[in-house]
Amino acid sequence: MKNHLSSTKALNDLIVSSLLTKYELKSHEGQNYLKVKISHSKKYILEDYIEHHLISEFVQIQIDEPYFIIRPCLMLEYILKDWTNNGEVTAINPSDLHINTLLFWITLFAYKTEYSVVVETNLSIPLQKTLCYFFSRTIKDCEIINMDNRFHFKSFLELYLLSNSYRPYLETSELNEMLSSTEKRKLRKIIAKEKA
């Protein structure tokens, strides 16, 4: 029973994370599925997640293409009904925005730019602001800003430290790679202080 609950939660988190980024809602023979943009360099994280949570029957990673598919299933239909209208997100259900969900979303879809860490999104500007509000209520030590269909994160070190408590090592390592050189120096000081 525990495995089933873990798989259900994992699939829910993946669907919600996908709706917060760049996706396309497609239909085949009357059944909806999501086509979600993902960097090739992040696919190993998704593969590990799928394998660990036993959800391979619901997710298909495209080997040579920069996307993956969430196949038709009851959970996808339920979340689409709750969140979308005509394939576009029109409402965000805050009960789906847990710390684990948000950290997984960032791990899977964020990338480092010269000045910050960003996640691209299809959300409308009002929904981007709504997500920023709920994000700041769930994860208090990291500021999120919406700008130009992207979310930018300030105090990314705090996200990394939080990830150590909530996410698997593989995902935490990915967040570590996105730390700026200044944040990495701060992290070394924190670790040195803990060892002293």
Side-chain angles (χ1 to χ4, degrees):
M1 184 67 174
K2 188 177 179 184
N3 277 347
H4 177 71
L5 290 174
S6 173
S7 296
T8 301
K9 177 72 175 95
L11 182 58
N12 186 87
D13 287 353
L14 180 59
I15 293 168
V16 168
S17 296
S18 298
L19 291 175
L20 298 177
T21 189
K22 296 256 183 190
Y23 73 90
E24 293 177 60
L25 180 64
K26 302 280 193 173
S27 185
H28 178 70
E29 296 179 357
Q31 293 191 305
N32 291 319
Y33 66 94
L34 287 182
K35 180 179 176 182
V36 187
K37 182 180 172 185
I38 187 172
S39 165
H40 283 290
S41 65
K42 302 274 192 166
K43 286 185 179 180
Y44 75 100
I45 295 168
L46 182 57
E47 288 168 355
D48 182 74
Y49 186 81
I50 292 166
E51 185 179 316
H52 178 76
H53 293 290
L54 308 173
I55 57 172
S56 60
E57 66 185 281
F58 304 108
V59 187
Q60 177 184 351
I61 299 175
Q62 302 300 308
I63 304 297
D64 298 324
E65 302 292 330
Y67 66 88
F68 65 93
I69 301 290
I70 300 177
R71 294 182 176 127
C73 62
L74 287 175
M75 182 173 289
L76 177 59
E77 284 305 317
Y78 175 78
I79 294 173
L80 289 174
K81 187 176 180 182
D82 195 28
W83 281 60
T84 68
N85 186 19
N86 294 324
E88 292 193 27
V89 175
T90 54
I92 292 174
N93 185 342
S95 67
D96 287 324
L97 300 178
H98 308 282
I99 288 175
N100 272 313
T101 311
L102 294 170
L103 289 173
F104 179 65
W105 166 63
I106 295 164
T107 303
L108 197 58
F109 298 111
Y111 59 93
K112 189 175 178 179
T113 66
E114 187 176 350
Y115 300 108
S116 67
V117 174
V118 301
V119 175
E120 295 180 357
T121 186
N122 284 347
L123 294 176
S124 66
I125 299 297
L127 285 176
Q128 289 177 38
K129 290 179 179 176
T130 300
L131 180 61
C132 289
Y133 171 78
F134 287 123
F135 184 97
S136 65
R137 294 195 45 117
T138 306
I139 300 178
K140 295 179 177 23
D141 295 328
C142 178
E143 186 180 357
I144 182 174
I145 299 165
N146 65 301
M147 188 183 339
D148 301 327
N149 289 335
R150 291 175 167 181
F151 292 105
H152 298 257
F153 301 92
K154 291 189 174 184
S155 306
F156 199 75
L157 176 58
E158 298 303 325
L159 271 180
Y160 167 76
L161 294 171
L162 190 61
S163 176
N164 274 310
S165 300
Y166 287 92
R167 301 306 302 162
Y169 175 77
L170 185 70
E171 293 177 28
T172 301
S173 297
E174 179 66 21
L175 293 180
N176 183 291
E177 293 298 315
M178 290 186 253
L179 293 173
S180 68
S181 54
T182 304
E183 289 170 324
K184 285 184 178 179
R185 279 194 299 276
K186 285 181 186 175
L187 179 59
R188 284 193 291 274
K189 287 179 184 175
I190 291 169
I191 292 169
K193 191 180 276 187
E194 286 177 357
K195 288 182 177 178

